[in-house]
Amino acid sequence: MTIERHDHIAVVSIDHPPVNAGTAKQRGALLDAITTVGAWPDLSGVVVTTAGKHFYAGSDLKEFDGPLAEPQLPSVIAAVEALDVPVVAALRGLALGGGLEFALGCDARVATPEVQLGFPEVGFGIVPGAGGTVRSARLIGVEAAFDLVTTGRRVTASEACSLGLVDEIVAESALLERAITLAGSLGEKRRLVEIGAETPFPGRDELLGRLPRRHRPNVRLGGELVISGIALSASEALTAERERFDELRVSDESNSLRYLFFARQSAAKALRSRAATTPIKRVGVIGAGTMGAGLAQLFADKGYETVVVDGHPDALARITDDAILTSTALDVCADCDLVIEAVYEDMQVKHDLLRELEGLVRPDAILATNTSYLDINEMATALSDPSRFGGLHFFNPPQRNKLVEVIPGAATSEQTRAALGELATALGKIAVPSGIGDGFIGNRVYADYRTQAEFLVEDGASPAEVDRAMELFGMAMGPFSVADMSGLDIAWSRRKRLASSRDPRLRYVSIADRLCETGRLGKKAGAGWYAYPEGARRGVEDPTVVDLIDRCRAEAGVTPRSIDVSEIQRRLHGAMVAGAAAVLDSGVAERTGDIDLALTEGFAFPRHLGGPVKAFSRMTEDDQLSALAAVYCSDPIAYTALADSSRGEMPPLVQRLLNGLAK
Ligand code: NAI
């Protein structure tokens, strides 16, 4: 914190790199500075600004797990409001969360054109806690404040100015001077807390009705604080807000979301590299199928020069964006900086393609594969320079799904690995490093989940019962609805490919194969695990499938029994944890957090539970062991590693997985 004198104006600069986030130390220094300048006998105004690129970007989330250290932010803001002279916040970079709340405690706000303001709290399972809901409603009105608090979106300088959130936009070079002039000329305080209680806001129900259909309780609470706060005295409203904030801060939900935030940081750090990378401007996508078409659109939307090649002109017809160059000939990729292949999931096809590509691209161009399951090291043998090649595994639909697994092969150079990681980040994705193993991280864990879902059906549950139980658990859609949505054919062809090498002692449920054999390939075929009559929004149970399941049970010698919701949830959750333990044990995942990140971002595992492992860690040890034992019993051969659980002991590989959370 530095203090400078400009005649009768004090300029306080927050100096806590890298982003001036609120910590006990930062708040203490800020309060000291306010107290110090407040004692100047000739003081006529104060400017609070930043010594760095950002004004004040949120709070240090690490502090949130325990009691917050003094001084807490409300006292710092109260000290600003208690000064007799006007205080102007001079904003640049990020003013988020506590940073925006602090700025709202000042009497006026000026900002550079690049500033971004917002209340990200809802994304962390909490609500603003230092007057954000109270002061914003008094400054910009209930409706606008409701929007900012419940969406957490960032607003730009011009929007902030038209909302009245900031008073003036000033070029960076003139920011401080203008703030000083304003502090000297405002004359009197403009304390937002002095705006008195109004009559209740009339549009309460209408505003709450605008919340997204599926929203977390804290989102509604934040909105309600904005609405109810306007009809209370400021001190009552501030107290109510702080109480909610303190309750939510220590909730499991907020703990989960913070955990995922840190997992993202660790994954990003693991992918960061000092290796110099060549900039990627022109990208080639090979294959314009489900994934290729989406990938081409993603690259084009993000401003890359994009070319897409497919052997079938029909496939290219689905590219409708003029910005994307389409071709049936590979040589359009000659001057690409990176080429990613999304052709058929077939080693021979990929080998032939990579060999041809290597012959025509620049020696420094990067080659990547979007394969879901194939061995990247084996794929690399097609290349004379495998150091330039690696996996970049996107998920369907690639424009919307946030997850990308970055998979270096044994020969992949540091430079290539760095370039793949940087590209994923530049595309706005959450990049998770993965080693090589069947299905990498996400698909591998999800496969355990899906297989267990099929065991449950063979044991007696109906697909709809399984789906309903998992929707109650928190998944947006149950496993059978998901399978119907994405199509049953990909997994079917994989099962056929692996059939000859499958251990015959492993439990195998053949219901999905039988569905596929009768053409029930999912929603796109009009039938899968469910029937899809004209106009139905979701699938409906189909007597034909019920019969087929009955026959498969009889053939497998299983007498169906009724299975309750909690057993379904326990076994499916346990199966994901078992998959996660195997993925960590084999080294395919380096960190427990990477697995939870992959499942929440790529497979819609509820973020508020923190991911399968984080959620599992909150269960009692008895419940954990009973879930693992149930998974073990469902197929003792596949799950030998869980045998300890059936004797009441924690299997070491699960223990290791859980230990990974502590770090
Ligand atoms: P797809 O079958 O929908 O499309 C493949 C396209 O590649 C077809 O249009 C085909 O004409 C074209 N193609 C095949 N060989 C070619 C060649 N030598 N040169 C030029 N074009 C060629 O396949 P999909 O589902 O898009 O999968 C592509 C790859 O992405 C696979 O490796 C798959 O494992 C992977 N993947 C698929 C996901 C999915 O959900 N569908 C998700 C993530 C990865």
Side-chain angles (χ1 to χ4, degrees), residues 20-60:
N20 282 339
T23 58
K25 198 166 149 222
Q26 182 252 33
R27 292 190 302 268
L30 197 47
L31 182 59
D32 284 349
I34 302 291
T35 314
T36 305
V37 303
W40 291 3
D42 59 343
L43 184 75
S44 64
V46 178
V47 170
V48 179
T49 189
T50 165
K53 279 204 297 216
H54 300 292
F55 178 69
Y56 179 158
S59 301
D60 175 13

Side-chain angles (χ1 to χ4, degrees), residues 589-613:
E590 250 174 81
R591 281 165 296 272
T592 302
D594 289 351
I595 306 172
D596 278 340
L597 203 53
L599 270 291
T600 49
E601 295 299 338
F603 294 82
F605 188 96
R607 301 185 77 236
H608 68 272
L609 300 179
V613 188

Side-chain angles (χ1 to χ4, degrees), residues 283-354:
V283 174
V285 178
I286 317 297
T290 308
M291 287 305 282
L295 283 174
Q297 194 60 57
L298 169 69
F299 284 113
D301 290 347
K302 294 287 174 183
Y304 292 87
E305 265 177 66
T306 310
V307 301
V308 55
V309 180
D310 198 295
H312 290 96
D314 292 357
L316 291 170
R318 58 167 109 187
I319 308 280
T320 51
D321 186 338
D322 291 341
I324 302 172
L325 179 69
T326 60
S327 173
T328 50
L330 220 48
D331 47 19
V332 290
C333 293
D335 52 354
C336 282
D337 305 303
L338 173 134
V339 181
I340 180 164
E341 71 76 19
V343 300
Y344 301 136
E345 185 78 332
D346 179 299
M347 190 60 88
Q348 194 55 50
V349 174
K350 304 225 192 226
H351 268 179
D352 293 346
L353 172 72
L354 286 173

